[in-house]
Amino acid sequence: MERDPNLLVGAEQWADAVVYRLSKEIAIVQTLDFFTPIVNDPFSFGRIAAANSFSDIYAMGGKPVTAMNIVSFPIKEMDKAILKEILHGGLEIIHEAGAVMAGGHSVEDPEIKYGLSVTGIVHPDYFVTNQNARPGDFLVLTKPIGTGILTTALKGGALNDKLTAEITELMATLNKGASEAMMEVGVNAATDITGFGLLGHALEMAKASKVGIRLNARDVPIISEAITFAAMGMMPEGSHRNRNFCSNDIEISPQLDPLIIDLLTDSQTSGGLLISVAREKADLLLQKLIEKKITTAKIVGEILSKPKKIIEVR
Ligand code: CO
Ligand code: CO
């Protein structure tokens, strides 16, 4: 484990990204992410992978500055135009984030993979982590969940064009506005919802902050078609792993439809921010989110001091 005093957030703290202080005024925040295609259209894949890569910077309230491409591509077997489309999609999102594309690295690989390494800046005293959620806080989720189930359905050829376009836009939407809104309001903790699903990332936040969480399943924004596909058994592989990872620490109200738990543990790609905000500021946060055109945000729960289990779902 590294012990540099300027390493304000390192890898050991369930953190979204790494924060390193350069001076009293400025710290860099760094992250990287890449994965295999989850949609068929290469341009869309590039946009989604790039938006996902920025997410950890936004979860910490950072402003992205530079991005570098990470590429695996079967350059001898596959048309280079596909790679160009992926990179073009990524570049569009990099520009939307206000960052500059500064280079990258590619390797030959039978399987396509793409993502970004992103460096951003934060004030060393005013960034957000998942460690400071406080009892009484409300929890706000900014994007609906269900993209893991729906991209599994897409792979199985079961998703129509309209729904494919909808989830593509959702996943390609940067958490930029959500991050700006939370920094304007001042919040206690945040994280982004990705592979561990809403429950997994909520559990990380609770453990990191040494608090409990009550999640109100009925208030969680869910893409309605995801419930239909979950009922048909379209579950991504990660869901069972997520459920096992969480099971000892979670108490689920017996009245809840088990399908809802499938949604709450659904692995998300480029999911929304989960923000812990002082109760009296929650309305202001929702209002700021709406000003930034984020209309899907909802209060989904609250922070508890001493629950029976770390997370209560009711
Ligand atoms: Co994260
Ligand atoms: Co990440």
Side-chain angles (χ1 to χ4, degrees):
M1 206 189 289
E2 294 286 349
R3 288 286 177 211
D4 184 329
N6 288 316
L7 185 64
L8 303 180
V9 178
E12 70 280 9
Q13 296 154 308
W14 297 293
D16 286 304
V18 173
V19 180
Y20 189 87
R21 180 172 51 210
L22 298 177
S23 73
K24 279 192 180 115
E25 301 291 318
I26 198 157
I28 48 171
V29 50
Q30 295 178 295
T31 181
L32 66 87
D33 245 305
F34 61 106
F35 49 72
T36 55
I38 52 163
V39 294
N40 302 321
D41 173 53
F43 181 74
S44 298
F45 169 56
R47 291 175 68 220
I48 293 166
N52 183 71
S53 300
F54 280 106
S55 194
D56 285 328
I57 303 277
Y58 287 130
M60 301 192 83
K63 182 185 173 314
V65 179
T66 58
M68 297 201 287
N69 290 321
I70 305 166
V71 180
S72 292
F73 194 81
I75 199 80
K76 290 191 189 113
E77 291 91 59
M78 210 178 270
D79 187 352
K80 256 195 211 160
I82 294 173
L83 176 57
K84 266 192 165 165
E85 282 291 287
I86 295 172
L87 297 179
H88 184 198
L91 188 64
E92 186 181 281
I93 296 297
I94 292 169
H95 289 161
E96 207 179 301
V100 61
M101 213 292 286
H105 187 75
S106 56
V107 293
E108 196 180 335
D109 187 323
E111 191 177 47
I112 298 176
K113 299 180 193 79
Y114 174 65
L116 301 174
S117 153
V118 184
T119 299
I121 49 170
V122 286
H123 192 288
D125 303 325
Y126 301 110
F127 61 88
V128 179
T129 68
N130 63 358
Q131 297 175 46
N132 197 33
R134 293 174 194 168
D137 282 4
F138 278 155
L139 272 178
V140 172
L141 177 65
T142 65
K143 282 189 192 181
I145 57 172
T147 58
I149 290 163
L150 291 169
T151 51
T152 304
L154 174 65
K155 273 192 194 126
L159 220 59
N160 64 37
D161 289 351
K162 182 173 168 281
L163 197 50
T164 304
E166 267 176 45
I167 61 164
T168 296
E169 280 322 301
L170 185 67
M171 294 186 287
T173 299
L174 286 166
N175 283 322
K176 181 174 192 274
S179 181
E180 288 168 358
M182 80 173 181
M183 293 309 278
E184 285 170 25
V185 169
V187 304
N188 292 332
T191 193
D192 61 320
I193 306 303
T194 52
F196 297 135
L198 176 58
L199 270 182
H201 290 284
L203 182 60
E204 282 183 335
M205 180 185 278
K207 284 181 172 172
S209 300
K210 301 185 176 67
V211 293
I213 286 177
R214 177 183 294 141
L215 216 54
N216 298 315
R218 264 169 226 86
D219 299 331
V220 174
I222 295 172
I223 309 162
S224 59
E225 290 87 347
I227 302 174
T228 316
F229 283 107
M232 291 159 58
M234 289 275 183
M235 302 299 293
E237 274 172 38
S239 293
H240 297 288
R241 180 201 64 204
N242 288 348
R243 189 184 279 232
N244 293 338
F245 168 74
C246 296
S247 58
N248 287 335
D249 297 316
I250 294 188
E251 179 170 290
I252 297 165
S253 155
Q255 292 102 297
L256 267 187
D257 182 343
L259 268 184
I260 297 298
I261 302 303
D262 290 341
L263 269 300
L264 298 181
T265 51
D266 184 39
S267 284
Q268 302 300 286
T269 297
S270 191
L273 297 187
L274 182 68
I275 303 170
S276 188
V277 60
R279 187 175 284 249
E280 62 275 14
K281 287 187 184 172
D283 282 339
L284 179 63
L285 177 61
L286 291 174
Q287 185 191 316
K288 293 261 183 203
L289 287 165
I290 289 168
E291 281 168 21
K292 298 190 190 285
K293 313 242 175 339
I294 299 155
T295 53
T296 47
K298 287 262 181 64
I299 295 173
V300 297
E302 62 188 298
I303 304 295
L304 309 173
S305 53
K306 281 208 177 76
K308 271 189 289 178
K309 294 268 183 168
I310 299 176
I311 300 197
E312 246 175 53
V313 188
R314 62 170 198 189

